[in-house]
Amino acid sequence: MNIINSRQNIALVGAGIMSATLGVLLKKLLPNSKIDIYERLDRVGAESSDAWNNAGTGHSAFCELNYTPMTDDGQVEISKALSISEQFEISKLFWAYLKKNKYLNPDIGFINDIDHMSFVWGDANITFLKKRFEALTNYAMFEDMKYSENFDEILDWIPLMNGRVRSDKIAATKMSIGTDVNFGAITRGMIDWLSNQEGVRLHLAHHIHEIEQESGGWWKIDMKHLKTGEEKSAYADFVFIGAGGGSIPLLEKTDIPEARGYGGFPVSGQWLRCNNPEVIRQHEAKVYGKAAVGSPPMSVPHLDTRIINGERCLLFGPYAGFSTKFLKEGSFMDLFLSIEMHNVWPMLRAGIKNIDLTKYLIDQVRQSFEDKFEFLKSYYPEARIEDWQLEIAGQRVQIIKKDKDEGGVLKFGTEIVSSQDGSLAALLGASPGASTAVSIMLNLLQKCFPTNMESKEWQETIRHMIPCYGQSLIKNGKLCKQMRAYSTEVLNLQDRS
């Protein structure tokens, strides 16, 4: 028997959206498998997956302008936006499967429909937004997008913009099929289901301090129970490291050659949160603007309606910052302890080439509450400072990796790093992570379980969960509309297009 087919002892490190998604997929594909989930905290989905630690945007590229950069010849590059939009549709189909089959608690809401808008001002930005609109609406997944430069129409879309000078040149796009997602609720729902399956065990408050492959190919995982102090070891023939910012130091402990040259650049964040119910009621959209030059993707400004645990909230931000922690509840020594001989040069080279980012983060850290509030007024001119308070957002770690030509590069997005034998994989990076978790984990299965993924049994199981699996929603507009209509109905979203 192929060794890949025989892997039945699985360790998932980190109890976030990635491990939860992979755990459900593997339990459906390998029903006899034994799965152990290890989490350093005493609760599930409490770091990047938690609702207060991320934007909650169902990243479908409807409003995120950083996914459609302007090229040197003045055109708008939309390939990344198309890919992300397709991946989010796949995530919705998977969540619809979970909801329809009662794998998630039907009494706990985790996704709501909310308009996704892009808003810009100034001639150059308006030209960019119009070109973006014209390019994207050639595809079925974007054909319902609306574009306007009419002040009154945009004011109707974004009432909080009232007070802006009417002579300002502004433009906006709107997609009514956008969503707000509570990734923490989805994570906890999936892990609750997993915990009730035979052969699955959840281990909270377990700190892993060593991951080592033994001569027989099995992985030995050494850990400490943080409440009892007990030291113990576990063994697995497949390990997934999905610990958010904590994945890089854990990956380094494995000593796999594929991990050499990787480092991490941590970026922290803050929100302004509205505490005035009257203001919160006036706004019902996720309004994204253009990121500042040199800023990381997680810092794209947005005026953001959120539905968290049934409560409607209004946030603005995020404001980027710098911390040497790799996790919100991590250690200030995380960055320093991650530096080793194999990644010190790539990290230095990436740092030198990203001086603008460093300056941007320093500027953000130096900003006072009043400075942050002034930036809010460019989106909400009549905002009152007493209606807003500062909240700490989640911690992200961007990828730094070795590069043959440049020494080291800073990468945004996510990347799977796996051992040559496919027995261990780790997910590094950040946005749009959670929104595209299902596609990311399917790609991971393709890398680590290639023989299984080609089998008729696995193909049929995956298509049962994701009906469009193996087909392009970008090229097949009719199929895209069918799949979107299906997930909209099952997830109880209101198609207002």
Side-chain angles (χ1 to χ4, degrees), residues 40-85:
R40 186 176 61 88
L41 301 179
D42 59 2
R43 57 201 185 281
V44 167
E47 275 282 351
S48 296
S49 301
D50 185 73
W52 288 112
N53 290 338
N54 58 68
T57 301
H59 285 295
S60 43
F62 294 157
C63 57
E64 306 92 329
L65 301 179
N66 56 309
Y67 296 155
T68 50
M70 184 83 85
T71 61
D72 292 338
D73 62 357
Q75 301 304 307
V76 177
E77 172 55 56
I78 64 171
S79 59
K80 184 175 183 179
L82 293 173
S83 176
I84 289 173
S85 188

Side-chain angles (χ1 to χ4, degrees), residues 349-362:
R349 288 294 299 163
I352 291 170
K353 288 185 296 180
N354 287 275
I355 294 298
D356 287 344
L357 173 59
T358 304
K359 291 178 179 178
Y360 169 80
L361 293 176
I362 291 172

